[in-house]
């Protein structure tokens, strides 16, 4: 029973982290129709920023998380201004290649400054909560609660504020949004900032129970892509549900099938699902 | 100038390539050049599906690795002759490419790129984790050099250089035949607009799969040659960074041009040779380079030259037209 519960908690943790990263990806896709391959690098930079703020600058964990979020949001907006905005009318293959360029650049810069070694972020809350005979590491609970808070926050921002409504309007219908006077540049920048912030916070939440290294974004971003393909590109509930599916598939797969092949599970799932339903799981004919 | 962009330029390049080992004498440079030729081949394969057909295949390095592992494993573990394994390398890559293609090409644009990214990752994971077959992270070592063929030995770097050059010329000649044929035009039509191509009666799926399979066969043979040349393989060959390298070569040289892969690969490989001191940090240069290229020079070097050539031709035609018009006017006023 306890082992089974551990797998559930594990799946929830992974699903929360993947979901947060996938949310940023899907928001950006909704606005610009760019699959942002550099999003994983932003996640990685977020982890490094939090680690540096905590270890070298010595600030508190929560401040480090916030700082990392702000730093990455700024980088993300810069990417939008310098790279994606000039490319918005280019053939679709070009912005994908440009995103790959950003990814390579950010990774190389981080590696040049801090080296390729694995870094360990000190756990701010190393304890374990025991509840009715079930043990829960505090950090994992934090990840799940943090993700829920952020997702609710995003939901209210998008549904209840005018700025949020402009984002949704632009994702639904670009021309229609222009027609009612929505500033595309502003919406685009806000979206990239939110995406960067979410990626950095996800990284800062996950880093204490994981390692920090330049290639840490690769797997996460690919899984985030799997998630938004499953959930429908641009769909926000899809990103959250998809994140949980992948998180649970991975934690139960690692436990009941094989740890060695656990990273393969998400991708095999994608291959199988796309073979049967090329339009994704929750979408109606959107390819 | 026009001469250089046509058949003359190709023959000139070939002549330079043939005399290169005689001039250079530096064994390392000859080896590096033959490696660059192998990557040119692989990139030319990528060009077919990505440049001409417009589908960004991010699993291309995976197919190079499949070809390379076919040669490596069959010669080392099963004692097969190099050439028998080499023939199989492209065929196996093409066969796997066919099955990947019929699934992945049902998806368009971003979905295809993301799907192939995942396929590349699956290939890499299988190479790394399936130790019983692939030797896992230890890699395949002591791969034999290409066996003697028709009394020619391929033991020396110079002999291997000519061998690789031969296959490169065959590849580029085939690519030339493909892209100038109706099939090539079909691919271009698909790249320019899938709806329009379909309206013209082009069977999208069949042609896209054909392009994909051809590109993976070329990748497989490039991998086979790589195995015979480097004689050591590890799973990182299939990594997505290798695919990104090929995307860089393609973009620098000119995506969707016949000689783009050659120019881009040679230039980037030789420039990075002189940036060796940067080692892993060379991406600090190449990452932004990729972005700058895609924003300001999306056609690459060869594409840029071709565009200039066309502009000049258009100007000349316009001048000739104007001159002819003036003569006509003169003739009229005289009459």
């Amino acid at each position: 029973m306890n082992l089974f519960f551990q797998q559930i908690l594990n799946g929830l943790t992974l699903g929360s982290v993947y979901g947060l990263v996938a949310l940023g990806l899907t928001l950006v896709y909704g606005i610009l129709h760019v699959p942002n391959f550099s999003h994983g690098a932003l996640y990685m930079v977020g982890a490094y920023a939090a680690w540096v703020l905590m270890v070298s600058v010595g600030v508190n964990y929560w401040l480090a998380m916030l700082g990392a979020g702000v730093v990455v949001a700024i980088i993300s907006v810069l990417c939008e201004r310098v790279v994606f905005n000039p490319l918005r009318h280019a053939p679709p293959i070009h912005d994908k290649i440009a995103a790959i360029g950003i990814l390579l650049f950010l990774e190389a810069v981080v590696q040049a400054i801090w080296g390729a070694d694995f870094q360990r972020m000190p756990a701010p809350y190393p304890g374990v909560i025991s509840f009715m005979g079930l043990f829960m590491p505090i950090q994992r609970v934090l990840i799940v609660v943090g993700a829920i808070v952020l997702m609710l926050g995003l939901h209210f921002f998008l549904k209840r504020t005018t700025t949020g409504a402009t984002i949704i309007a632009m994702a639904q219908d670009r021309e229609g949004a222009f027609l009612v006077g929505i500033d595309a540049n502003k919406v685009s920048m806000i979206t990239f900032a939110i995406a960067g912030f979410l990626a950095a916070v996800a990284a800062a939440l996950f880093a204490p129970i994981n390692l920090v290294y330049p290639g840490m974004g690769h797997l996460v971003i690919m899984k985030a892509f799997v998630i938004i393909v499953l959930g429908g590109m641009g769909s926000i509930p899809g990103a959250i549900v998809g994140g949980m599916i992948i998180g649970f598939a991975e934690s139960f797969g690692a436990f009941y099938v094989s740890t060695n092949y656990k990273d393969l599970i998400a991708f095999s799932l994608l291959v199988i699902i796309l073979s049967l339903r090329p339009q994704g799981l929750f979408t109606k004919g959107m390819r | 100038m026009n001469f250089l962009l046509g058949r003359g330029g190709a023959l000139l390049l070939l002549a330079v390539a043939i005399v290169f080992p005689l001039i250079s004498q530096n064994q390392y440079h000859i080896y590096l050049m033959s490696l660059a030729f192998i990557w040119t081949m692989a990139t030319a394969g990528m060009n077919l599906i990505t440049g001409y057909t417009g589908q960004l295949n991010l699993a291309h390095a995976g197919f190079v690795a499949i070809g390379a592992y076919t040669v490596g494993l069959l010669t080392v573990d099963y004692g097969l002759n190099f050439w028998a394994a080499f023939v199989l390398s492209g065929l196996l890559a093409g066969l796997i490419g066919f099955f990947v293609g019929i699934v992945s090409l049902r998806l368009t644009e971003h979905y295809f790129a993301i799907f192939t990214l995942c396929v590349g990752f699956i290939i890499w994971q299988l190479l790394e984790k399936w130790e019983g077959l692939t030797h896992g992270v230890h890699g395949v070592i002591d791969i034999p050099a290409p066996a003697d063929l028709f009394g020619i030995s391929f033991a020396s770097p110079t002999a291997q250089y000519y061998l690789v050059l031969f296959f490169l010329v065959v590849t580029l000649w085939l690519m030339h035949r493909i892209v100038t044929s109706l099939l090539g035009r079909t691919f271009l039509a698909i790249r320019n607009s899938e709806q329009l191509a379909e309206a013209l009666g082009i069977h999208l799926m069949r042609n896209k799969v054909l392009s994909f399979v051809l590109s993976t066969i070329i990748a497989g043979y490039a991998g086979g040659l790589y195995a015979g040349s480097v004689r050591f393989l590890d799973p990182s060959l299939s990594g997505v960074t290798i695919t990104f390298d090929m995307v860089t070569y393609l973009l620098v040289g000119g995506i969707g041009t016949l000689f783009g892969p050659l120019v881009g690969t040679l230039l980037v490989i030789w420039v990075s040779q002189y940036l060796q001191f940067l080692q892993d940090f060379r991406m600090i240069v190449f990452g932004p380079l990729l972005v700058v290229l895609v924003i300001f020079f999306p056609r690459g070097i060869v594409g840029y030259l071709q565009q200039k050539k066309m502009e000049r031709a258009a100007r000349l035609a316009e001048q000739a037209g104007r001159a002819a018009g003036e003569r006509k006017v003169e003739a009229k006023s005289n009459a």
Side-chain angles (χ1 to χ4, degrees):
Chain A
M1 183 57 208
N2 205 351
L3 273 178
F4 182 77
F5 175 77
Q6 292 303 330
Q7 297 320 312
I8 291 182
L9 185 62
N10 208 352
L12 269 177
T13 326
L14 289 174
S16 304
V17 173
Y18 296 159
L20 284 180
V21 178
L23 266 179
L25 208 56
T26 209
L27 275 177
V28 165
Y29 184 85
I31 295 296
L32 274 193
H33 291 267
V34 179
N36 188 0
F37 289 115
S38 63
H39 200 68
L42 294 178
Y43 170 84
M44 179 270 301
V45 173
Y48 268 93
W51 173 71
V52 167
L53 283 173
M54 239 182 118
V55 174
S56 310
V57 184
V59 301
N60 156 295
Y61 176 63
W62 297 101
L63 274 178
M65 185 188 292
L66 194 68
V70 172
V71 167
V72 175
I74 291 170
I75 296 175
S76 181
V77 171
L78 271 179
C79 290
E80 194 274 335
R81 283 290 94 189
V82 179
V83 182
F84 294 114
N85 196 43
L87 277 174
R88 64 193 184 282
H89 298 302
I93 213 164
H94 287 179
D95 38 28
K96 276 179 276 197
I97 293 173
I100 292 172
I102 299 176
L103 164 85
L104 296 175
F105 173 70
L106 287 177
E107 260 177 38
V109 167
V110 165
Q111 195 171 334
I113 301 175
W114 291 289
D117 300 337
F118 293 88
Q119 313 287 353
R120 186 168 276 287
M121 187 154 156
Y125 303 100
V128 171
I129 306 174
S130 90
F131 176 71
M132 292 185 4
L134 303 169
F135 295 102
M136 298 180 278
I138 297 177
Q139 187 66 36
R140 286 186 184 271
V141 177
L142 266 185
I143 292 174
V144 178
V145 173
I148 292 171
V149 168
L150 279 173
M151 283 167 190
L152 284 177
L154 184 68
H155 176 82
F156 285 117
F157 172 72
L158 291 176
K159 297 283 177 194
R160 296 289 158 84
T161 64
T162 317
T163 324
T166 58
I167 294 181
I168 292 191
M170 212 160 114
Q172 280 172 350
D173 188 337
R174 243 187 127 74
E175 275 75 37
F178 294 160
L179 219 54
V180 294
I182 290 172
D183 182 351
N185 282 330
K186 205 175 115 194
V187 172
S188 209
M189 279 159 70
I190 293 173
T191 312
F192 268 83
I194 294 173
F197 184 83
L198 288 178
V201 171
L205 278 170
F206 200 34
I209 56 170
N210 216 321
L211 292 167
V212 179
Y213 57 100
M216 67 187 284
H218 291 175
L219 267 179
V220 175
I221 185 67
M222 281 205 266
K223 284 171 191 165
F225 270 123
V226 172
I227 289 162
I228 66 169
V229 170
L230 293 185
M233 291 254 228
S235 153
I236 290 165
I240 297 170
V241 175
M244 287 301 161
I245 293 180
I246 296 296
F248 279 104
E250 213 177 292
S251 91
F252 281 97
F255 187 67
Y256 291 107
V257 185
S258 153
T259 352
N260 215 3
Y261 288 105
K262 77 169 159 53
D263 289 329
L264 268 181
I265 292 167
F267 304 108
S268 314
L269 210 62
L270 177 85
V271 169
I272 293 166
I273 290 173
L274 284 186
S275 315
L276 302 175
R277 275 183 69 85
Q279 64 272 47
L281 264 192
F282 306 116
T283 46
K284 298 191 189 83
M286 178 182 146
R287 285 204 252 177
Chain B
M1 200 57 201
N2 277 349
F3 169 78
L4 285 180
L5 283 169
R7 181 166 301 183
L11 289 175
L12 190 71
L13 279 176
L14 182 62
V16 171
I18 288 174
V19 295
F20 175 76
L22 306 175
I23 301 168
S24 165
Q25 298 297 342
N26 182 333
Q27 297 286 303
Y28 176 67
H29 283 172
I30 295 173
Y31 171 72
L32 194 71
M33 201 63 168
S34 56
L35 263 189
F37 284 167
I38 291 172
W39 286 116
T40 303
M41 256 179 87
T43 309
M46 187 181 210
N47 196 19
L48 188 64
I49 184 75
T50 302
Y52 286 104
T53 323
Q55 316 291 323
L56 182 60
N57 175 14
L58 292 177
H60 202 69
F63 291 100
V64 176
I66 288 173
Y69 267 83
T70 309
V71 167
L73 295 174
L74 285 178
T75 51
V76 172
D77 288 355
Y78 301 94
L80 206 66
N81 176 283
F82 176 87
W83 291 106
F86 179 71
V87 169
L88 288 174
S89 65
L91 295 181
L92 186 67
L95 184 72
I96 297 176
F98 173 74
F99 288 111
V100 171
I102 54 174
V103 176
S104 63
L105 287 163
R106 296 162 70 192
L107 311 164
T108 49
E109 284 183 13
H110 309 316
Y111 287 79
F112 177 77
I114 293 167
F115 189 91
T116 49
L117 188 69
C118 293
V119 169
F121 185 78
I122 292 175
I123 294 174
W124 173 60
Q125 283 276 298
L126 285 178
L127 290 180
E128 193 174 290
K129 307 274 172 161
W130 193 351
E131 287 195 11
L133 179 72
T134 64
H135 304 212
V137 285
H138 308 296
V140 186
I141 50 172
D142 288 336
I143 299 168
D148 296 1
L149 201 68
F150 310 123
I152 308 167
S153 155
F154 297 107
S156 74
T158 313
Q160 286 206 4
Y161 172 88
Y162 284 115
L163 178 73
V164 173
L165 180 62
F166 168 76
F167 280 105
L168 176 65
V169 171
V170 171
T171 308
L172 288 181
W173 179 77
L174 271 177
M175 287 291 293
H176 171 72
R177 297 295 298 182
I178 292 172
V179 300
T180 50
S181 70
L182 187 61
L183 185 65
R185 280 155 202 269
T186 309
F187 292 161
L188 280 179
I190 294 176
R191 178 188 73 184
N192 292 343
S193 164
E194 296 203 355
Q195 282 96 344
L196 194 60
E198 207 166 19
L200 289 171
I202 291 171
H203 195 301
L204 283 185
M205 193 62 189
R206 194 181 298 155
N207 283 294
K208 283 203 270 188
V209 170
L210 184 61
S211 169
F212 191 79
V213 169
L214 285 173
S215 87
T216 52
I217 289 177
I218 296 172
Y221 281 126
L225 286 173
Y226 179 89
S229 220
V230 177
R231 302 169 70 180
F232 164 78
L233 296 173
D234 72 301
S236 67
L237 179 63
S238 66
V240 74
T241 43
I242 307 278
T243 304
F244 290 168
D245 280 345
M246 286 190 272
V247 171
T248 314
Y249 303 156
L250 202 53
L251 215 65
V252 170
I255 191 164
T257 61
L258 188 61
F259 283 97
L262 181 70
V263 173
T265 313
L266 292 188
L267 193 69
V268 174
I269 287 188
W270 281 98
V271 168
S272 20
Q273 195 57 30
Y274 289 103
L275 295 176
Q276 278 274 310
F277 62 95
L278 288 174
Q279 290 170 5
D280 291 340
F281 311 134
R282 65 198 173 89
M283 283 304 167
I284 297 181
V285 180
F286 285 125
L289 179 73
L290 216 53
V291 175
V292 168
L293 276 173
V294 107
I295 296 178
F296 297 106
F297 307 98
R299 292 163 189 272
I301 296 170
V302 176
Y304 177 77
L305 292 177
Q306 277 178 353
Q307 192 189 4
K308 285 277 156 226
K309 180 184 168 184
M310 277 190 245
E311 278 171 7
R312 200 164 40 243
R315 221 170 26 242
L316 285 178
E318 198 185 323
Q319 277 169 5
R322 204 179 297 136
E326 276 166 11
R327 265 201 303 281
K328 227 179 253 171
V329 172
E330 264 171 41
K332 253 187 202 154
S333 62
N334 285 349

